[in-house]
Amino acid sequence: MARSRLGLKALGLCALVFGLIVVAAGTVQAEATSKWVLVKPSIELLTVGVPNDTLLPEVQISEIEELKDEKDPGKHLVLLTKSGTNTITLLCSAAELENAAGTGPPKLLLEGSILGRAKFTGCIFKINGTTQSVCKPHSKGSAEGTILTERVKGLIVLHELAGGIKDATVLLQPEDKEGKTITTFVTVILGVEGASECAVGELLSVGGELILADGQGTFTTEQATHLIEEFKGLQKLWAFKSDNPASIDGSVVVELVGEHKGLNWAGIPG
């Protein structure tokens, strides 16, 4: 799907340090000394957590970029997968980020990390391009069309291609309330809970790892807004079951909010 280009927008989301992973062609390496930086109006470059931990800026999605797709035009994020021979599409027209407690936007944390979850609204479910009225997607306890993920942690990683080219990416993984890594980002209920009227079943689980990338190559450049999308060079999401691949189309713009709104910021690999 072709996308419109947004000036001064690049990747800038997520990094939680796990330690080091050995690098080989086609693998990723965690950067234990990654960091977030931002520029104050005085042109002073500040590092989150240095020299103290009071500088913890909040981030939020400010825009979903419009997809130039004849079948599904508009500003939305799209989960694509299969169920048997059927093409499955989950579209959401709005998204926002929350901290782990759900009390506000997530913060850029120490050592280039972030912890939070995503809330999607205006979601619809399609089978082979046709909207399914009996499969209205939602999270447990949420209104129709509203989906809330589990807590998500992330880390800045380098993806090295066989030719030695390294791409700065962001690896996201779901976790439970105790901070333990789990396999599933979200379990979506399709239709009325317990009714089992949807042709592909009542539940749509999405799990694995989500790797984000900077489509414009300016991950380390301090800018007011950053554009994120799934990294096409390493797709590790699944849907319904762990051996059934899934992907995400679309991109979102992220910016600082609160007292740091409007400041330029960036993510720096270690």
Side-chain angles (χ1 to χ4, degrees), residues 21-201:
I21 301 175
V22 177
V23 176
T27 64
V28 293
Q29 176 185 1
E31 296 298 316
T33 54
S34 299
K35 60 187 177 182
W36 301 109
V37 298
L38 59 90
V39 183
K40 295 189 69 174
S42 62
I43 316 298
E44 179 184 3
L45 186 66
L46 300 176
T47 300
V48 171
V50 179
N52 58 65
D53 60 5
T54 61
L55 177 65
L56 300 176
E58 295 179 331
V59 293
Q60 187 55 271
I61 294 171
S62 60
E63 181 182 358
I64 295 178
E65 188 181 19
E66 184 172 1
L67 290 175
K68 302 299 184 180
D69 178 49
E70 293 180 357
K71 295 182 179 179
D72 291 309
K75 294 186 176 183
H76 45 240
L77 297 172
V78 184
L79 174 73
L80 300 170
T81 190
K82 290 278 190 178
S83 177
T85 59
N86 294 312
T87 298
I88 303 301
T89 312
L90 177 66
L91 297 88
C92 297
S93 59
E96 63 180 294
L97 303 177
E98 297 181 354
N99 57 33
T103 57
K107 297 178 182 292
L108 299 181
L109 302 175
L110 307 183
E111 298 178 311
S113 66
I114 190 170
L115 177 65
R117 57 188 185 182
K119 181 179 181 180
F120 303 95
T121 53
C123 300
I124 60 175
F125 185 81
K126 295 186 177 184
I127 299 178
N128 298 324
T130 301
T131 300
Q132 305 295 302
S133 60
V134 296
C135 304
K136 293 179 179 178
H138 60 95
S139 294
K140 187 177 182 63
S142 297
E144 292 180 347
T146 299
I147 298 171
L148 182 64
T149 71
E150 301 289 346
R151 289 165 36 137
V152 176
K153 58 185 176 185
L155 69 158
I156 296 173
V157 299
L158 292 176
H159 176 255
E160 185 173 354
L161 301 175
I165 299 175
K166 295 181 179 181
D167 289 305
T169 64
V170 175
L171 171 64
L172 303 182
Q173 292 182 311
E175 69 170 33
D176 62 18
K177 294 180 180 179
E178 285 69 46
K180 180 181 178 181
T181 300
I182 57 178
T183 60
T184 304
F185 281 101
V186 64
T187 297
V188 181
I189 299 171
L190 301 175
V192 179
E193 187 173 1
S196 299
E197 297 177 324
C198 190
V200 296

